[in-house]
Amino acid sequence: MALAHRLCRLPRLLPLAAAAAASKPYLPGKPSPAPPPPLSSPPPFPSLSCLFSTTPSSSGDSSMVVVGSAESFTSIMSKVEGLDHGLMDARDFLFAAEKLPAVFYYTAVWCGPCRAMAPVISKLSSRYPKIPIYKVDIDMDGVGSKLSDLKIFSVPTFHFYYQGRKTGEVVGANATKLESTMESLHKQL
């Protein structure tokens, strides 16, 4: 993860290298060169909230749900898989009875391909509002062991569930495959 953070900071160093290459060395007997122009500060990175926005688009309702804790992740996963044998309220009963499909979107704040897929998954959540998309940050406390059980070794990873079982998986930033898998899940409704 430290390497990923270094790679994210790399563009900030490029203006310094360009300025160093452009400055002329001092030669004895000649007047010293004019000081290089002051470096302008590099543009700041966009805020992370902008990169991972879950607000619905104007085209319709969004089905994106940000999973906020390991406990809620466990609860949602057990309901989707139909393993929740505890007390169920009326809404949970309807969810289990209808066997609604679900998509789990495993992501990380530091992941460049995840940021590239954010607009795609946002568009799909608006296009298919009846399919809930659960966004799970892999760096969330308490989720690590669950992710290894689910065999998630890279991000972004998308798991598709229908009638309580996993029916598909997309690993990486493959927008075409993600859209076609989402469409086939939608057709099963």
Side-chain angles (χ1 to χ4, degrees), residues 45-53 109-110 115 135:
F45 286 113
S47 71
L48 295 176
S49 62
C50 293
L51 295 174
F52 290 100
S53 174
V109 172
W110 48 264
R115 289 192 299 265
K135 182 177 175 183

Side-chain angles (χ1 to χ4, degrees), residues 80-160:
V80 167
E81 291 178 335
L83 301 176
D84 190 12
H85 300 295
L87 295 175
M88 298 173 67
D89 63 12
R91 184 174 150 186
D92 291 337
F93 180 74
L94 290 174
F95 181 79
E98 293 177 9
K99 297 182 181 177
L100 293 176
V103 177
F104 284 85
Y105 167 33
Y106 301 98
T107 184
V109 172
W110 48 264
C111 170
C114 298
R115 289 192 299 265
M117 292 301 288
V120 175
I121 197 70
S122 179
K123 179 181 77 171
L124 291 174
S125 71
S126 296
R127 186 183 304 162
Y128 305 108
K130 292 184 179 182
I131 302 174
I133 299 172
Y134 297 103
K135 182 177 175 183
V136 181
D137 186 342
I138 63 164
D139 292 327
M140 187 174 17
D141 287 338
V143 176
S145 64
K146 294 170 182 70
L147 297 179
S148 61
D149 292 343
L150 293 168
K151 296 180 174 56
I152 296 170
F153 302 112
S154 61
V155 288
T157 297
F158 303 88
H159 284 177
F160 297 84

Side-chain angles (χ1 to χ4, degrees), residues 1-11 108-112 115:
M1 189 163 95
L3 178 63
H5 288 290
R6 284 188 199 130
L7 292 175
C8 290
R9 289 190 206 133
L10 185 61
V109 172
W110 48 264
C111 170
R115 289 192 299 265

Side-chain angles (χ1 to χ4, degrees), residues 18-33:
S23 68
K24 297 178 183 174
Y26 173 74
L27 297 175
K30 294 194 175 192
S32 64

